[in-house]
Amino acid sequence: MPDAPDAGALDAGGPDAGAPDPVAGGRAGGPRAVPVLERPVREVMRTLLVTVAAGETLLVAWELLERSGARHLPVVLPDGRCSGLLERAEVAVACAAPAVTLSRRHARDLVRYRRCAVVHREDSVGRAVDVMDANRCDALPVVGDAGVLAGLFTAADVVSALAGHGLEVPPGGGGQRSYPFPYPVMPGLPPRPDEDRVSPVP
């Protein structure tokens, strides 16, 4: 009878050999990459953002969300610091008010009386996840030196990193963008057809 294969050979050639290690971001048997939770936030965050100036109206904030399809909208002060983070749902609810009222309400009004949790771009992903959990949120503004907005970190970014997906960078783009934006930013965003848009204003 032929000799039974040795256990070491089975382990080396088993179905899981060479399988990706989602936590480490590497492959078993090879050099282990830095685990996702230990990587700096700057390697996982998104930097191609749509932002709104704090002094813009809620109608402008809603238009930015509608055109970009974004779920979160950072509110940026003139000096580049992030004043807060607007969520699509809360802007939609605020925009249910009469149009005359909306012309007098600004993006800063929705974030004025609440604390804005942020993380630094050099913080670890693990710490950012802890901050999100403590604040019961799924997105955090990421700041650099002097508190200037550097990007946005979301739960979806963590999932993508664990799955081994890299940052999506448009052709010709470096993935980095300089803040602040003193005005609403809609680079390359064409107006959506009227029939596809749902206005929250009665």
Side-chain angles (χ1 to χ4, degrees):
M1 287 183 65
D3 293 336
D6 110 345
L10 284 176
D11 288 343
D16 293 329
D21 182 345
V23 174
R27 297 184 69 83
R32 289 180 64 84
V34 177
V36 169
L37 294 181
E38 295 178 12
R39 290 165 59 186
V41 169
R42 60 180 162 76
E43 293 184 5
V44 178
M45 70 181 186
R46 56 191 68 191
T47 57
L48 299 177
L49 308 178
V50 175
T51 67
V52 65
E56 288 292 350
T57 66
L58 291 183
L59 283 176
V60 169
W62 177 254
E63 187 72 8
L64 286 165
L65 288 167
E66 274 287 274
R67 290 195 181 195
S68 66
R71 289 186 54 207
H72 305 94
L73 188 64
V75 179
V76 182
L77 298 171
D79 61 3
R81 290 180 297 117
C82 183
S83 177
L85 191 64
L86 296 177
E87 293 190 5
R88 186 183 186 87
E90 70 174 318
V91 177
V93 169
C95 284
V100 175
T101 303
L102 290 178
S103 66
R104 299 172 184 169
R105 297 192 68 190
H106 303 88
R108 62 172 171 258
D109 296 334
L110 289 185
V111 298
R112 178 174 294 168
Y113 300 111
R114 69 187 186 201
R115 176 176 172 269
C116 177
V118 300
V119 289
H120 192 275
R121 63 195 308 272
E122 297 300 334
D123 285 339
S124 69
V125 171
R127 181 181 187 282
V129 169
D130 288 340
V131 173
M132 283 199 298
D133 182 56
N135 288 274
R136 299 175 182 267
C137 62
D138 64 350
L140 290 170
V142 182
V143 299
D145 297 334
V148 174
L149 182 66
L152 187 66
F153 177 81
T154 72
D157 299 327
V158 180
V159 173
S160 293
L162 288 171
H165 301 156
L167 290 174
E168 294 184 5
V169 179
Q176 296 292 330
R177 189 171 273 176
S178 157
Y179 291 87
F181 289 120
Y183 305 105
V185 179
M186 295 185 292
L189 291 175
R192 293 174 58 181
D194 288 342
E195 61 269 17
D196 292 338
R197 294 188 54 205
V198 178
S199 173
V201 182

